[in-house]
Amino acid sequence: GLLTRLQTSATTTRTLLPSSSCSQNIPSCLWKLGRLNHVAIAVPDLEKAQSLYKDVLGAQVSETVALPEHGVYTVFVELGNTKLELLHPLGEESPIASFLQKNKTGGMHHICIEVDDIKAAMTELKKKKIRILSEEPKIGAHGKPVIFLHPKDCHGVLVELEQA
């Protein structure tokens, strides 16, 4: 009766779920997405932003680090399961300076997701017509290779991929 049909349906569902999962059984995929590393927020006043997270919210906040190759100052806010990256312009040519010209109070700039093989990810993403904003990975704030994916190819979100 009904119980037998439900048990059969549950067994079928359990059997189908793993094979229908895109991330597990795609033989052509030579790389894999990992965890969310951080969410980056562009801020017009870095000291004020650091104070909010450290003094008001009680978070552990890193020292300010200059990354001239990326044109930014960075500060990381530890959240336990991930981090926030506070970004402030380093020079007039900084991509964060142009972002803040359009968003005077700051705002979310990008998300960073770890990958297990950044070179394989680049190769496959190019084949899938996803634009990468540099020809080669650059060394990011964590001392690891990173690339950025064009926001128009990622539903309006600037996505950073970082070698895990």
Side-chain angles (χ1 to χ4, degrees), residues 3-155:
L3 183 59
T4 304
R5 283 199 308 267
L6 285 174
Q7 288 171 332
T8 304
S9 175
T11 303
T12 304
T13 303
R14 270 191 304 254
T15 304
L16 292 176
L17 279 177
S19 63
S20 66
S21 173
C22 294
S23 64
Q24 290 182 357
N25 289 326
I26 299 176
S28 65
C29 196
L30 301 174
W31 60 281
K32 180 169 89 169
L33 279 178
R35 68 181 192 92
L36 175 67
N37 185 283
H38 64 266
V39 174
I41 302 169
V43 297
D45 185 332
L46 191 54
E47 287 181 18
K48 196 173 182 181
Q50 281 176 289
S51 178
L52 168 69
Y53 289 101
K54 184 178 181 180
D55 302 329
V56 177
L57 299 175
Q60 182 180 337
V61 177
S62 76
E63 294 298 316
T64 302
V65 175
L67 295 176
E69 185 178 356
H70 295 276
V72 297
Y73 290 104
T74 66
V75 169
F76 282 94
V77 179
E78 292 293 331
L79 298 178
N81 61 344
T82 192
K83 297 178 279 302
L84 296 179
E85 179 184 33
L86 306 179
L87 297 172
H88 187 73
L90 174 66
E92 294 299 315
E93 299 301 310
S94 169
I96 299 305
S98 60
F99 180 89
L100 288 172
Q101 286 173 358
K102 298 174 196 148
N103 305 277
K104 299 290 184 207
T105 60
M108 192 189 93
H109 185 261
H110 68 267
I111 63 169
C112 176
I113 304 170
E114 295 175 358
V115 294
D116 65 346
D117 186 337
I118 200 160
K119 288 289 196 174
M122 289 177 74
T123 300
E124 191 165 318
L125 290 167
K126 284 178 183 177
K127 286 180 188 172
K128 293 179 177 179
K129 306 288 189 241
I130 302 295
R131 288 172 284 179
I132 298 170
L133 300 181
S134 61
E135 288 300 313
E136 290 296 320
K138 293 180 180 179
I139 299 302
H142 298 113
K144 297 178 179 181
V146 299
I147 58 169
F148 286 87
L149 308 181
H150 199 294
K152 288 185 179 176
D153 298 339
C154 300
H155 306 282

